[in-house]
Amino acid sequence: MITVIRDVEVYSPEYLGKKNVVVVGNKFEGIYDEINIPSDFIEIKVIEGKGKLMFPGFIDAHVHILGGGGESGFSSRTPEIKFTDLTKAGITTAVGCLGTDNVCRDAKALVAKAKSLDVEGITTYCYTGSYSIPVKTVTESIKEDLMMIDKYIGVGEIAISDNRSSQPTYEQFLDVIAQARVAGLLSGKAGVVNIHVGSGKRKLDMIFRVLKETEIPATQLMPTHVNRNTELFEQGIELVKQGGYIDLTTSSDPNFLEEGELSASEGLKRALDTGINMNNITFTSDGNGSMPKFDENGKLIGLGICSVSSLYNEVKRAIKEQNVPIEIAVKVITSNVADLLRLGNKGRIISRKDADFVLVDKDDLSITDVYAKGEALIEEGRIIKKGIFE
């Protein structure tokens, strides 16, 4: 099957101008200024791109695909994600993780859910482990999980500075990072450690200690929820200055905002204004995780659920309300994530990469079309493909 997206403004995520993009099978074949489409050749599908912008398919590197939560008992467990929840949000690649509960939800079930989403039509990966240290693995170790199980590309989400964490010592925390680092080198994977950072007073202290006292590069760490308060965000800016990455969470409940909490779009604008390396900032949704609110004594006082739709919504807000350039805003859910997680076939509209792309209306930036590996999932706002049980 050959598909041509004609006369569309392409963000690769760098702006390429109005182009004609050719997809052959599941890969981008090329990007052309002009193209002649033969009428007597094999079947060619033509998508009119006039009035639309073309982005790489979105990557959400922190999704509770099995559901999450449980902080208010068994009835507060959030549900598994549906295939179309992801595709309607423009997400063509998702990384699944466990959260607080690693008893009733486990690593094997996580991999099984990831595989089911693959069959349905997107690309998935996973982190081994959960909030807790020691890490519960499928095999005998973190190293073996990453080296022998294709789906695993890192560890997480490991919780620090949070009343729900296992309160690991620095030595325990460092050991997990060191194992992930070596496993990544041996397997050719990222070996990134996704780190849930709570609102505790220690903030990123252990991360800075790792950078100060060891040879492990800052790019081995992916602290998330860094926009949960101003002080934590400022530490995150310092981490980027030292070569690290920070991840801003797009899901938030306006009824349960923490003091000083920033939306991801506001955080992106503040980061841009500081002049730091914008390639080292990512957005994730925390999709289908719970949004608990605790008082100063650690008592649960409210509970919501995170949505994957927030991922692109915060990118839109960054563009339309914060005046962040489109190229920079789109990078945080495409190329920046692909680079950090070493997903070589994802995150860019370039020849020979996977044909994952999203078309949006040029005026209001609403999603109109979603393609994954060259296959139409949404066309002109109409769902083409659903999950097996949808």
Side-chain angles (χ1 to χ4, degrees):
M1 182 66 166
I2 296 176
T3 301
V4 178
I5 305 91
R6 186 163 58 186
D7 296 329
V8 66
E9 291 189 57
V10 178
Y11 285 84
S12 177
E14 295 77 19
Y15 183 62
L16 303 182
K18 185 170 285 189
K19 301 290 181 179
N20 298 279
V21 181
V22 178
V23 172
V24 177
N26 62 358
K27 300 287 185 181
F28 291 116
E29 186 277 331
I31 303 170
Y32 304 96
D33 291 327
E34 296 181 4
I35 190 169
N36 292 318
I37 303 175
S39 57
D40 57 350
F41 196 53
I42 62 172
E43 181 183 356
I44 298 175
K45 180 178 181 178
V46 178
I47 302 172
E48 294 296 340
K50 187 176 181 180
K52 295 182 179 181
L53 307 180
M54 184 177 185
F55 300 148
F58 305 152
I59 306 170
D60 194 340
H62 187 123
V63 187
H64 295 273
I65 57 177
L66 277 181
E71 289 95 342
S72 189
F74 293 110
S75 63
S76 65
R77 287 158 45 92
T78 62
E80 289 190 15
I81 202 158
K82 295 187 297 184
F83 177 70
T84 55
D85 290 340
L86 294 161
T87 60
K88 287 187 294 185
I91 296 166
T92 56
T93 302
V95 184
C97 61
L98 298 177
T100 316
D101 183 2
N102 63 0
V103 175
C104 296
R105 306 181 194 273
D106 64 21
K108 292 178 183 178
L110 183 69
V111 171
K113 176 64 175 180
K115 288 178 176 289
S116 74
L117 291 169
D118 272 8
V119 171
E120 289 171 335
I122 65 170
T123 302
T124 60
Y125 302 94
C126 297
Y127 302 116
T128 186
S130 62
Y131 270 24
S132 300
I133 296 176
V135 172
K136 291 177 69 172
T137 57
V138 173
T139 64
E140 294 182 356
S141 67
I142 290 171
K143 186 184 297 184
E144 193 171 347
D145 270 14
L146 265 64
M147 292 182 67
M148 304 309 297
I149 300 176
D150 289 345
K151 282 292 177 195
Y152 284 137
I153 59 172
V155 182
E157 57 177 310
I158 300 295
I160 62 172
S161 301
D162 194 293
N163 68 85
R164 294 163 293 169
S165 85
S166 58
Q167 308 304 322
T169 65
Y170 169 72
E171 288 72 22
Q172 290 173 318
F173 181 63
L174 177 59
D175 180 63
V176 168
I177 296 167
Q179 288 188 60
R181 166 70 176 170
V182 175
L185 292 172
L186 293 174
S187 63
K189 298 177 180 178
V192 162
V193 180
N194 182 302
I195 303 167
H196 165 107
V197 185
S199 54
K201 61 184 179 181
R202 290 170 291 176
K203 300 180 178 65
L204 303 180
D205 289 354
M206 283 209 289
I207 292 175
F208 284 116
R209 186 175 174 185
V210 170
L211 302 187
K212 182 179 180 180
E213 297 182 4
T214 78
E215 301 75 30
I216 295 172
T219 51
Q220 210 67 45
L221 310 172
M222 185 185 184
T224 188
H225 315 319
V226 174
N227 53 315
R228 72 163 68 245
N229 62 59
T230 303
E231 290 183 0
L232 180 59
F233 180 77
E234 289 174 352
Q235 275 201 347
I237 295 297
E238 179 57 34
L239 180 61
V240 174
K241 291 179 179 178
Q242 295 188 28
Y245 276 75
I246 57 171
D247 182 61
L248 309 182
T249 304
T250 57
S251 293
S252 63
D253 187 336
N255 296 314
F256 295 112
L257 291 178
E258 296 190 28
E259 185 176 355
E261 184 175 355
L262 301 171
S263 69
S265 54
E266 291 170 331
L268 188 63
K269 174 60 174 175
R270 288 197 188 189
L272 179 62
D273 290 343
T274 67
I276 62 172
N277 184 358
M278 298 302 289
N279 293 328
N280 285 31
I281 298 178
T282 61
F283 281 9
T284 59
S285 72
D286 203 12
N288 277 48
S290 64
M291 285 192 290
K293 175 66 176 178
F294 298 94
D295 65 17
E296 63 275 8
N297 298 315
K299 180 181 178 182
L300 185 73
I301 58 175
L303 191 66
I305 185 170
C306 301
S307 171
V308 290
S309 65
S310 67
L311 187 75
Y312 179 59
N313 286 341
E314 280 299 297
V315 169
K316 281 198 298 184
R317 288 186 62 197
I319 296 167
K320 297 173 75 71
E321 298 176 18
Q322 302 293 334
N323 297 315
V324 175
I326 293 177
E327 292 185 6
I328 291 175
V330 172
K331 279 185 178 183
V332 302
I333 58 171
T334 57
S335 59
N336 289 0
V337 193
D339 291 346
L340 173 62
L341 299 184
R342 295 185 64 178
L343 307 181
N345 287 323
K346 304 295 183 181
R348 291 178 172 84
I349 299 173
I350 299 176
S351 177
R352 298 184 181 179
K353 290 192 182 292
D354 288 349
D356 299 344
F357 63 91
V358 177
L359 300 181
V360 306
D361 183 270
K362 183 177 179 179
D363 294 326
D364 65 11
L365 301 183
S366 60
I367 294 173
T368 61
D369 304 76
V370 179
Y371 279 68
K373 291 174 282 191
E375 182 181 10
L377 306 180
I378 295 176
E379 287 186 328
E380 294 296 341
R382 183 170 61 93
I383 296 174
I384 302 299
K385 188 173 185 182
K386 294 182 178 181
I388 294 172
F389 295 108
E390 292 188 65

